[in-house]
Amino acid sequence: MALGSFSFCQAATPLASVPSPGRASCTSKHLAIKMSKSAMRDKKEKSKMVWVWTENKEVFCASVERGWNTFVFHPKNRQVANDWSSIATIQPLFLEGSHVKDEQQQKVAVVYNVSSPHDLQTLIPEEIEADNLIISFHDEWQVIPAENIVAAFQGFKGAVLAVSTSSTDAQVFLEALEQGLDGVVLKVDKLDEIIRLKGYVDKRNADCTGLELTKATISKVEVVGMGDRVCVDLCSIMRPGEGLLVCVGSFARGLFLVHSECLETNYIASRPFRVNAGPVHAYVAVPGGKTSYLSELCAGKEVLIVDQNGSWRTATVGRVKIESRPLILVEAKEGDETYNIFLQNAETVGLICPSRDDDAKTVIPVTSLKVGDEVLLRKQGGARHTGIEITEFIVEK
């Protein structure tokens, strides 16, 4: 059975055209989508399935152009399914009672309604009589039941999806217990819901790609005057070797990887949620390949947590604390380029080192930095406009 699946760890195919909210463009040339070979998701790759349930042609066009080609129809809408199949290569599925069938009348999935805790308790993976299971929630409670399903169906060979009537609910299902359900059936007739869910999926796709970090050699360490420095407290715990890209740097073209305060010391308790990131003018990496000034961060915004190997994830800012503190200027060279960063002059502030098998050291406190030490930074284009990289002449010094 070939069903349309979408992997969070697979880069999205560039679109030939994307419809604006007020208009959709549908041509078979643009919308021919390659079908996946299996309905079963690869647990290791965190692949997610997005099926769309709609009677709106504009939503249909937007969905297919974004790579979602599996659609659910009522049997009465077979003509609509036929019409849409003539426009694009899609996988139409039909809801017949509690069963979902394909065009050959083969059972693809069963639908199970959950209206109470009892309904959830009677849902047993071994008794599912189909390759895939679709959960339709009819109760105000959705988050906890979804988490219970994720836990109960860990060994299930097929896919477990939930019917969602909004992109917001879909995100809840895809993130339940961090692992999330295998996918969603997005039942919508509004184009905005497709656009929002695709934006979320694109961000999750990017989370699976690593950032290229470069070794740079410290060339100067100088104590300077006072400045307003920013502590970024996140809603996530960081581990040794992780920090913010909150790579932070004074130049947009090179961002240093600043370590969190997760390490224990004799004088202060570990604060694994915090990065003492630098002064207010410094850049910090945020999702979407963008940067933000540290002074612009506030509760609810997202930043990147990056480790020594370039693996990264997004984290939500819980609060930002700006205080006047003594600063230290650090310069590093990579090739012919020189990069610098200002940081608070304190033992709890450090830069992350390149990972080496023969050296367990992950961070060098700025108070111990010396010329010749190696640290990690992220090289990127220098010119930025409102945090977005652009091509233009620029000199930073």
Side-chain angles (χ1 to χ4, degrees), residues 199-262:
Y200 164 79
V201 166
D202 283 348
K203 185 177 74 172
R204 289 290 299 267
N205 279 336
D207 285 356
C208 296
T209 61
L211 294 175
E212 183 178 351
L213 301 178
T214 301
K215 290 189 294 185
T217 303
I218 299 297
S219 57
K220 180 180 180 180
V221 181
E222 179 183 345
V223 175
V224 293
M226 302 287 288
D228 294 334
R229 71 93 174 96
V230 182
C231 269
V232 182
D233 290 351
L234 303 178
C235 298
S236 300
I237 296 294
M238 284 170 280
R239 299 176 291 273
E242 287 187 326
L244 293 180
L245 227 80
V246 197
C247 279
V248 181
S250 296
F251 296 164
R253 68 176 185 268
L255 305 180
F256 289 75
L257 188 51
V258 182
H259 201 262
S260 74
E261 295 188 6
C262 66

Side-chain angles (χ1 to χ4, degrees), residues 224-229 276 321-328 343-345:
V224 293
M226 302 287 288
D228 294 334
R229 71 93 174 96
N276 190 330
K321 189 170 64 165
I322 303 176
E323 298 164 312
S324 183
R325 293 291 187 268
L327 301 178
I328 189 168
L343 293 166
Q344 180 182 340
N345 188 9

Side-chain angles (χ1 to χ4, degrees), residues 101-344:
K101 298 182 179 180
D102 62 14
E103 291 181 290
Q104 290 72 43
Q105 289 296 298
Q106 296 294 315
K107 185 163 62 176
V108 172
V110 294
V111 180
Y112 191 89
N113 296 317
V114 173
S115 302
S116 67
H118 174 73
D119 293 336
L120 206 59
Q121 292 168 3
T122 59
L123 187 56
I124 302 173
E126 293 77 17
E127 297 181 0
I128 303 302
E129 298 179 350
D131 289 339
N132 307 289
L133 171 66
I134 298 175
I135 306 292
S136 181
F137 292 100
H138 295 275
D139 189 18
E140 292 183 357
W141 282 52
Q142 293 188 353
V143 177
I144 300 301
E147 291 179 347
N148 292 346
I149 290 171
V150 171
F153 278 76
Q154 291 183 81
F156 188 59
K157 299 300 183 182
V160 181
L161 301 88
V163 177
S164 173
T165 56
S166 72
S167 57
T168 301
D169 287 346
Q171 292 179 35
V172 170
F173 296 138
L174 295 173
E175 293 178 346
L177 279 188
E178 187 176 0
Q179 177 181 327
L181 296 176
D182 300 311
V184 292
V185 178
L186 188 61
K187 186 179 182 182
V188 297
D189 285 315
K190 293 183 178 179
L191 183 62
D192 288 348
E193 299 296 341
I194 297 295
I195 295 172
R196 279 194 286 267
L197 185 58
K198 184 58 167 63
Y200 164 79
V201 166
D202 283 348
K203 185 177 74 172
R204 289 290 299 267
N205 279 336
D207 285 356
C208 296
T209 61
L211 294 175
E212 183 178 351
L213 301 178
T214 301
K215 290 189 294 185
T217 303
I218 299 297
S219 57
K220 180 180 180 180
V221 181
E222 179 183 345
V223 175
V224 293
M226 302 287 288
D228 294 334
R229 71 93 174 96
V230 182
C231 269
V232 182
D233 290 351
L234 303 178
C235 298
S236 300
I237 296 294
M238 284 170 280
R239 299 176 291 273
E242 287 187 326
L244 293 180
L245 227 80
V246 197
C247 279
V248 181
S250 296
F251 296 164
R253 68 176 185 268
L255 305 180
F256 289 75
L257 188 51
V258 182
H259 201 262
S260 74
E261 295 188 6
C262 66
L263 303 178
E264 293 286 348
T265 70
N266 294 330
Y267 291 92
I268 191 169
S270 168
R271 292 181 174 87
F273 53 84
R274 173 173 295 172
V275 174
N276 190 330
V280 289
H281 77 281
Y283 289 106
V284 56
V286 298
K290 300 179 181 179
T291 59
S292 173
Y293 290 116
L294 284 174
S295 59
E296 295 174 334
L297 293 183
C298 60
K301 286 202 171 184
E302 289 187 322
V303 293
L304 304 185
I305 295 175
V306 186
D307 69 12
Q308 289 173 296
N309 301 313
S311 298
W312 65 274
R313 54 194 170 101
T314 59
T316 301
V317 175
R319 74 162 179 168
V320 170
K321 189 170 64 165
I322 303 176
E323 298 164 312
S324 183
R325 293 291 187 268
L327 301 178
I328 189 168
L329 170 63
V330 178
E331 289 188 355
K333 287 185 175 291
E334 196 282 318
D336 296 330
E337 291 286 341
T338 299
Y339 307 89
N340 75 35
I341 183 172
F342 288 87
L343 293 166
Q344 180 182 340

